Amino acid sequence: MKLKWILICFLIYGSAFYSSLHVYSRQSAKETAEDAGKLLPVKMKYFRDVHSTKEIQQWVREADESGETISIAGMQHSQGGHTLYPNGTLLDMTGYSQILNFSPKEKKITVQSGVTWADIQQMINPYGLSIKVMQSQNIFTVGGSLSVNVHGRDIRYGSLIDSVESFRLLKPNGAIINVSRTENSDMFPYVIGGYGLFGVILDVTLELADDELYQHRSAAMNYKEYETYFNEKVKHDDSVKMHLARISVAPESFLKEMYVTDYVLAEDQGNREKYMELKKEEIVALPKFMLGLSRYSDWGKGLLWETQKEFFMNNDGKYETRNNVMRSDSEFMEYENPNRTEVLQEYFVPVDQFAEYINDLRAVLEKEELNLLNITIRYVGHDEDAVLSYAKNDMFALVMLINQGRSEQDIQVTEKVLQKLIDVTLDHDGSYYLPYYSYPSDKQLKRAYPRIEEFFEKKREFDPEERFNNLFYERYGQ
């Protein structure tokens, strides 16, 4: 009996201790913020959970009067401090998430910037409509996606700026303006792809597409064949609407073997309703386990590559709606390690230079220590609407997933390797994507984005007090 009471007391004490520890950890988390890269923990002065336009306007005006600095956050998957600034105010926009207007007839939707792509899909799917441009996963906020001007698997609509009709912007002084291609149009190409430096994007009107039924078409090939395959079988075939490729990082076929998936418009669109139910996360445990193996061994990388290739090749002929293609699983990629993290890099290279570029990339990587886990390849057509456009030509985009340590020494080692990769990319008339850790040098930034000084000058003109700030701007713009 005595032992029983001792155990009960221990459980009560343990529960109380856990609860207090949990509360303490939440309070501690409220003092420090970090983005998805987990390399930039930053102590913030204030955290503001946003729910209304009035709240945001009040906080921005107060900050303007007191001289506080503001940074803006959604899901915080930009990994270079774009949502952080030391001792500043962080506006968490994820609670600012109402769908304000939806017109199926006009194929348009107006949403607050904290709405996720998943929220929009839930609303528009029953009406046979789909999003035009978004990332491969649907977990991100619309405001964050606009701030980095995303692209995705669709090969016909370009980057996100192409599908934006208009948005409302809360300026650094608290005033609100409408921005479109005809109203305050000078701000349109700066704010989209502006990384939160010009103000708060409040709500956005987006153009929508039809939710078509696609059939998967898969093929395996050598990297030297890819450019020809893409030009002949994908780009100039109007029935191909979306496209995704992967290139091997396994030692035996490193940057040589590829497989592709094309999403071809199904001949019988009358079957769409049969497949239109929005899919949820599929089996997660197995791919999560196999990705874990690939982090720690070449054998694991080889096994993951062969398994991925077999899975996608076996999907040849599968039917899937556009909305479901744009709901890729992401849960299996979640990774928690106190000493390591996973970062993304994305390099853009002209289509006609792909094979030569891969040869030069391989030559660097075979000499360097870089724990490269995956490379996916997408296509982005030439599009210079945004001032900081990454698609100066018709480009292949190579998205790299890298496992690295968090120490200063680890960061320096990764920086050295990635700067070499960026030089290779620039030498092939390419560019790199800006939402990731600030490994590139100032010189590399100016080569990749020749209008970057114009961008920073516009930022200082529009926000002379630098009310909106982040670590990306501090690193490159000040």
Side-chain angles (χ1 to χ4, degrees), residues 281-395:
E281 292 279 2
E282 298 176 350
I283 299 172
V284 173
L286 182 59
K288 190 177 182 74
F289 172 73
M290 298 189 71
L291 181 59
L293 289 178
S294 75
R295 292 183 176 109
Y296 302 109
S297 71
D298 287 345
W299 174 83
K301 287 180 172 61
L303 179 63
L304 179 61
W305 172 251
E306 292 300 325
T307 304
Q308 281 182 323
K309 183 173 65 172
E310 183 178 355
F311 174 80
F312 280 93
M313 295 299 290
N314 285 341
N315 275 340
D316 192 44
K318 174 184 175 181
Y319 288 98
E320 194 171 17
T321 63
R322 179 183 178 88
N323 276 332
N324 278 320
V325 172
M326 300 167 90
R327 290 175 71 82
S328 298
D329 295 338
S330 58
E331 187 179 334
F332 78 95
M333 296 177 64
E334 293 177 1
Y335 176 62
E336 291 294 333
N337 186 309
N339 301 313
R340 303 189 68 79
T341 187
E342 287 178 356
V343 300
L344 292 171
Q345 288 284 293
E346 184 168 354
Y347 303 139
F348 302 88
V349 63
V351 170
D352 60 4
Q353 297 203 40
F354 179 77
E356 292 180 7
Y357 173 67
I358 292 297
N359 287 335
D360 291 343
L361 209 62
R362 189 189 310 107
V364 173
L365 286 169
E366 286 180 338
K367 297 176 184 178
E368 301 290 344
E369 291 292 328
L370 188 71
N371 194 6
L372 183 58
L373 302 181
N374 187 56
I375 302 178
T376 60
I377 300 172
R378 300 173 180 86
Y379 168 80
V380 188
H382 175 233
D383 188 348
E384 295 191 66
D385 282 354
V387 171
L388 298 185
S389 172
Y390 41 76
K392 296 173 287 187
N393 299 288
D394 289 348
M395 299 283 208

Side-chain angles (χ1 to χ4, degrees), residues 158-175:
S159 50
L160 182 56
I161 193 171
D162 291 341
S163 65
V164 178
E165 180 181 275
S166 63
F167 57 89
R168 288 197 308 154
L169 180 71
L170 179 61
K171 296 170 60 177
N173 63 3

Side-chain angles (χ1 to χ4, degrees), residues 385-438:
D385 282 354
V387 171
L388 298 185
S389 172
Y390 41 76
K392 296 173 287 187
N393 299 288
D394 289 348
M395 299 283 208
F396 285 135
L398 287 80
V399 185
M400 300 183 179
L401 179 65
I402 300 162
N403 183 279
Q404 69 160 84
R406 298 193 199 184
S407 70
E408 284 298 322
Q409 182 179 356
D410 290 325
I411 291 172
Q412 290 171 9
V413 169
T414 303
E415 178 179 70
K416 180 181 176 182
V417 178
L418 294 186
Q419 286 188 353
K420 290 181 180 180
L421 299 186
I422 292 168
D423 278 339
V424 170
T425 305
L426 295 172
D427 288 344
H428 284 273
D429 299 322
S431 59
Y432 65 89
Y433 205 16
L434 295 173
Y436 303 126
Y437 194 81
S438 55

Side-chain angles (χ1 to χ4, degrees), residues 91-190:
L91 296 182
D92 182 350
M93 303 296 292
T94 55
Y96 189 68
S97 55
Q98 293 184 25
I99 294 176
L100 303 176
N101 187 47
F102 171 44
S103 174
K105 185 177 180 180
E106 295 181 349
K107 297 183 183 179
K108 292 179 183 178
I109 191 166
T110 303
V111 301
Q112 291 179 331
S113 57
V115 162
T116 66
W117 297 113
D119 296 330
I120 296 178
Q121 287 181 324
Q122 290 286 349
M123 171 63 74
I124 67 178
N125 187 62
Y127 296 88
L129 294 173
S130 178
I131 295 158
K132 279 189 173 182
V133 180
M134 55 172 270
Q135 301 96 318
S136 290
Q137 282 83 33
N138 63 3
I139 63 173
F140 307 108
T141 63
V142 171
S145 300
L146 258 71
S147 294
V148 303
N149 189 27
V150 300
H151 67 93
R153 297 185 188 186
D154 191 286
I155 64 172
R156 305 299 174 191
Y157 289 124
S159 50
L160 182 56
I161 193 171
D162 291 341
S163 65
V164 178
E165 180 181 275
S166 63
F167 57 89
R168 288 197 308 154
L169 180 71
L170 179 61
K171 296 170 60 177
N173 63 3
I176 297 174
I177 59 172
N178 296 314
V179 182
S180 69
R181 289 178 175 81
T182 58
E183 189 174 7
N184 294 302
S185 58
D186 61 317
M187 296 308 300
F188 194 82
Y190 287 96

Side-chain angles (χ1 to χ4, degrees), residues 270-284:
N271 284 330
R272 186 189 66 84
E273 291 188 7
K274 180 180 175 182
Y275 299 93
M276 68 178 287
E277 181 180 354
L278 294 177
K279 69 180 183 182
K280 299 178 181 178
E281 292 279 2
E282 298 176 350
I283 299 172
V284 173

